[in-house]
Structures are given as structure tokens and as C-alpha cells.
Amino acid sequence: MPLPTRAEVVVVGAGLAGLSVATRLVDAGRDVHVLEAAAHAGGRLATERVDGFVVDRGFQVFNTGYPRAADLDLPALDFGWFTPGAVVWDGGRAHRVVDPRRRPTAALDTLRSPLGPLPRKVAVAAFSARAAYTPVSRLLATSETSADERLARARVGAAARERFFGPFLAGVLLEDRLETSSRYLDLLWRSFARGATGLPARGIQAIGAQLAGRVGAERLHHGVRVGEVSGTAVTSDAGRVRADAVVVATDPATAAELVPAVQASAPRQVTTHYHVLPASPWPDPLIVLGTPGGQLVNSVVLTDAQPAYGPDGRALVASNSLAPTREADVREEVARLHGVAVADLEHLTTVTVTGAQPAALPPLQLRRPVDLGGGLFVCGDHRDTPSIQGAMASGRRTAAAVLRSLRPGTPPGAA
Ligand SMILES: Cc1cc2nc3c(=O)[nH]c(=O)nc-3n(C[C@H](O)[C@H](O)[C@H](O)COP(=O)(O)OP(=O)(O)OC[C@H]3O[C@@H](n4cnc5c(N)ncnc54)[C@H](O)[C@@H]3O)c2cc1C
């Protein structure tokens, strides 16, 4: 589709933030065009097929506890779900730690798990209950510290910190010092405690593809890299487009290059190794947590949650390290975490994502400004929280701000 020379609104970047802006502007009847450097829509939510397996560009999951889940047609994405909890290895045995509020039948397993004496297990349950039932405004009003200190104050104990929260959160926050803001931990744990985590049948990219479908192919221009922006025009390798409003919805580093007022926080990285097993060794879809001294923060049989990720009933395993490990360095550890023979593992592919998500250090700056003035807007996970939720929420806020700027008097939240 050729680029127009003029549009009411130009959005740079078709990740979830940019697509969230564009869908709302299309719904409001605005003339919006999205310029995207890559060949696919969805940005960091990317999927490819490798030997018939569905391989996401790094292990990531969707959580129905995200408020912006409301913007998606979830049934159409045909999710497969994980059991809420994890497998923890201790003393040569695998223990299931499952949220007893959600799966009462697993309460006994959790009571027997190596998370310390009973009072510490009660503290873990209380931490989850607080996150699940405390209103967001009260969670955010709690004094801010690091995630590590928040867990210490919740008195979950050293065993739960080391065996459960440490590796579980490292796999989500992509850092293992738990230096992330306690406020982000509270919000994140709230979505885990309230929602279900899952994978769409056609891969994580299907989430972006669904939003892109609502924007329309005639408004989405792939393979177009933008090099300069102002509030009245963008210049790309495919030409210049004038506009009444320009939204920069790129990754944080590119946003900082295009708009000097934007500061990119340190990016987190992750390496995901994909292996195939003849069959899953587990009875239910649970993430397996890494053990102290290991290189992996977790490993998970994706096909247990979403069988459509495999072509033929074999099991697809994703194993994650924060450092850029080589497959040969972690193969034995993968086998150990799943209790299988090394020879059973067939290496499929390995992916390292360097700019996976921005850090969310204290002080957490939720809802950073999106309207930079003069017709220029910026959105993305770096404006809210480093997550699918954060990207979509920032897109929603930005769409409302753009609509207000185009038509003064539009009430907030009308987007
Ligand atoms: C491996 C991995 C695991 C993750 N795990 C989770 C998880 O489990 N749960 C969760 O909620 N979140 C997770 N995240 C984070 C989540 O994916 C991101 O926060 C979110 O997708 C960011 O969306 P965005 O729209 O802000 O940015 P992006 O997705 O980065 O979109 C920006 C878009 O801008 C385009 N672009 C960049 N520069 C230009 C240019 N000059 N011209 C035109 N286009 C340009 C890019 O190609 C891209 O499509 C994970 C991320 C990764 C990578």
C-alpha cells in the first residue's frame, strides 16, 4: 500500500502500543496511518514456525488479569492455559506449588512444598491474597521500595524467596536481584493472583495480528522505517507524510533517538532455548523454576498449556536464562529440570532478545506523559509498565490525548 503524503494522524510502530492507538482512532472515524519497520504487526510479540513448531521470539505469556485484556477478543485467540503456580525442585524431588485459592485440590502439595515452615507458607498466601484483593489505588499508596524488600517485609522467608519468588520473578522481570519497584511487583502479582496466563493457539504474535486486523491493511505500512519526526510530519525511507498529530510508538531506545525528550531506561534481555521432547514428562501445565546455582531461571513445556504449539504430539520446551547462554551450556540443566535424559532433548532453536523490556526501577513512573505538545505524542511500554498491559494502556491513554488534541473538548476516556 503506497504511503499517503498526508494523514490526520501518523503512528510510528505497530507494536501493541501503536496498534492500541490506531484501533481507537479508526473507531473514532479518524484518518490514521501506521508506519512499521518490520514485516509483521505486534512488535516484540513475534512468532515463527520452526519445523512445524510455533516458536515465539522469547518465552512470553498473556495474562487475563491485565485490565487491557478487555480490548481483545480472547475466545478468538483460542488460548491454552497454564496452571497457576510452579514446580520447585528441592532435595532431588519436584514439588508443585499451586495457588490453593484457585486450585483447592492442590493445597496439600503446596503445604508439603519446600517453602519453609508453616508460618512462612501462610505469609506467602497472605502476600498473594493482599495483591489479589487490595484495590490498585491502595497498593500504589504503599511506600515504595525494591521487590526484594517488599518480599522481606511480607516475611515470606528465605526458602520461599530463594526457591520460588526469586526464579519466578526473575523470569518475568528479567532481572534476578529483585531491584524492580515494589509497586510494579504488587501490580504484577495482582494480575497473577487474579488472572490466568496462557498462549494463543497461533503464537503470541496473534495478539498483535488481531489488533492489526481491526486497523486494516490499507492503513498499515510495513517495511517503512521512520528516521525523523515532528508534530506535523514524519520522514521515512519510503517518503514524507504530513499529519495533524504524530505518535511515536516504537521500542524505548528508538523513541529516545527520535524524540530527545524521551529517556530510555536500561533494557532487560533474555535468552530462550527451544527443545523438543518425545512426550511431556509432566501431568499438568506448570512452569518449572530454576534452581540455586543454575543458569536457567525457568523451563516450561509449552505444549502442555497450548498443544497447538506442536505439530505432532511431541513436547515443545522453552528454557530461559538472563545471560546469553549457549545451548550446550544449559542442555544438562534443561534435562535435569524436567527429569529426562539429555539424549531425549532435540535442540530446535535459540533466541536472544536484547531489548526485551525496559527496567522498572523505583521510583516507578507510572503514566509518564504521552502528549509532548505541538502535535507530538509518545507511547509504549516505557510510558507505563514493561508489559503487554503497559503497552496497551499507554496506547489507550495516547489515543484519548490525540483525540482531545484533534477535537478540543473530547471528554477524557472517550477513546
Ligand atoms: C522475550 C520477551 C518476553 C516478554 N515476556 C512478557 C510477558 O510474559 N508478559 C508481558 O506482559 N510482557 C512481556 N514482554 C514485554 C512485552 O512484550 C512488551 O512490553 C510489549 O510488547 C511492548 O510493546 P510496545 O508496543 O511498547 O513496543 P514494541 O513491541 O517494541 O513495538 C514497537 C514497534 O515499533 C517498530 N519500530 C521501531 N523503530 C521503528 C522505526 N524507526 N520506524 C518504524 N517502526 C519502528 C518496531 O518494529 C515495533 O514493531 C516480553 C518481551 C519479550 C521480548
Side-chain angles (χ1 to χ4, degrees):
M1 197 60 64
L3 275 191
T5 52
R6 207 200 117 66
E8 211 173 9
V9 183
V10 168
V11 177
V12 183
L16 294 193
L19 291 169
S20 294
V21 175
T23 51
R24 286 183 165 80
L25 295 183
V26 167
D27 289 349
R30 297 299 185 169
D31 170 37
V32 55
H33 285 261
V34 183
L35 278 49
E36 165 57 53
H40 77 279
R44 273 169 270 167
L45 269 58
T47 304
E48 58 176 337
R49 289 255 171 193
V50 182
D51 291 351
F53 288 90
V54 174
V55 172
D56 293 327
R57 192 160 180 274
F59 168 58
Q60 57 181 313
V61 291
F62 181 78
N63 190 315
T64 59
Y66 290 155
R68 298 272 46 86
D71 298 345
L72 296 167
D73 178 355
L74 296 182
L77 290 167
D78 194 8
F79 275 93
W81 304 108
F82 290 99
T83 298
V87 170
V88 172
W89 279 93
D90 184 59
R93 272 193 56 208
H95 301 262
R96 294 165 87 235
V97 178
V98 175
D99 186 350
R101 289 178 311 113
R102 319 272 297 275
R103 301 284 159 94
T105 50
L108 204 59
D109 286 346
T110 302
L111 270 177
R112 289 184 186 139
S113 66
L115 299 191
L118 189 61
R120 301 284 78 85
K121 287 174 184 154
V122 172
V124 170
F127 177 75
S128 287
R130 169 185 171 275
Y133 302 121
T134 307
V136 169
S137 56
R138 272 185 49 207
L139 286 177
L140 292 177
T142 310
S143 70
E144 187 177 26
T145 179
S146 66
D148 201 32
E149 181 60 25
R150 166 73 82 244
L151 292 173
R153 288 184 195 169
R155 305 176 71 80
V156 299
R161 158 73 176 79
E162 184 166 277
R163 295 189 182 123
F164 179 66
F165 286 107
F168 190 96
L169 290 172
V172 180
L173 304 172
L174 307 185
E175 59 101 355
D176 55 8
R177 291 161 43 175
L178 300 192
E179 60 185 10
T180 296
S181 162
S182 60
R183 291 196 174 143
Y184 185 45
L185 169 63
D186 283 341
L187 295 177
L188 195 68
W189 209 256
R190 181 182 170 81
S191 48
F192 280 119
R194 293 168 74 97
T197 52
L199 297 167
R202 287 177 299 283
I204 201 78
Q205 188 177 314
I207 296 173
Q210 183 180 92
L211 293 176
R214 288 189 209 154
V215 174
E218 70 284 7
R219 299 174 177 283
L220 256 169
H221 306 271
H222 285 284
V224 178
R225 183 167 295 277
V226 169
E228 269 177 49
V229 299
S230 72
T232 53
V234 304
T235 307
S236 77
D237 53 9
R240 184 174 154 85
V241 187
R242 287 182 299 114
D244 296 331
V246 170
V247 179
V248 175
T250 65
D251 55 278
T254 308
E257 277 170 29
L258 291 173
V259 185
V262 170
Q263 285 180 349
S265 61
R268 305 294 193 194
Q269 70 169 28
V270 62
T271 294
T272 306
H273 301 279
Y274 288 93
H275 290 93
V276 177
L277 279 173
S280 173
W282 301 105
D284 48 11
L286 273 170
I287 189 161
V288 182
L289 299 184
T291 50
Q295 304 205 66
L296 297 174
V297 289
N298 60 46
S299 184
V300 54
V301 180
L302 302 174
T303 37
D304 282 350
Q306 180 50 272
Y309 268 39
D312 53 12
R314 285 181 294 157
L316 178 64
V317 183
S319 309
N320 297 286
S321 68
L322 302 184
T325 46
R326 294 176 314 152
E327 191 271 334
D329 298 337
V330 299
R331 196 181 306 154
E332 274 183 29
E333 197 176 338
V334 174
R336 203 169 345 108
L337 287 179
H338 293 284
V340 299
V342 172
D344 285 343
L345 287 171
E346 184 191 326
H347 182 218
L348 192 64
T349 185
T350 291
V351 185
T352 292
V353 185
T354 48
Q357 54 194 43
L361 300 173
L364 186 66
Q365 285 179 276
L366 274 179
R367 300 178 152 256
R368 291 184 184 198
V370 293
D371 185 348
L372 302 183
L376 189 59
F377 298 81
V378 62
C379 67
D381 60 351
H382 58 103
R383 298 280 99 188
D384 283 67
T385 56
S387 63
I388 290 170
Q389 159 65 22
M392 294 180 74
S394 81
R396 181 179 194 243
R397 284 198 296 130
T398 306
V402 170
L403 285 170
R404 277 197 299 275
S405 83
L406 293 176
R407 192 178 51 196
T410 304

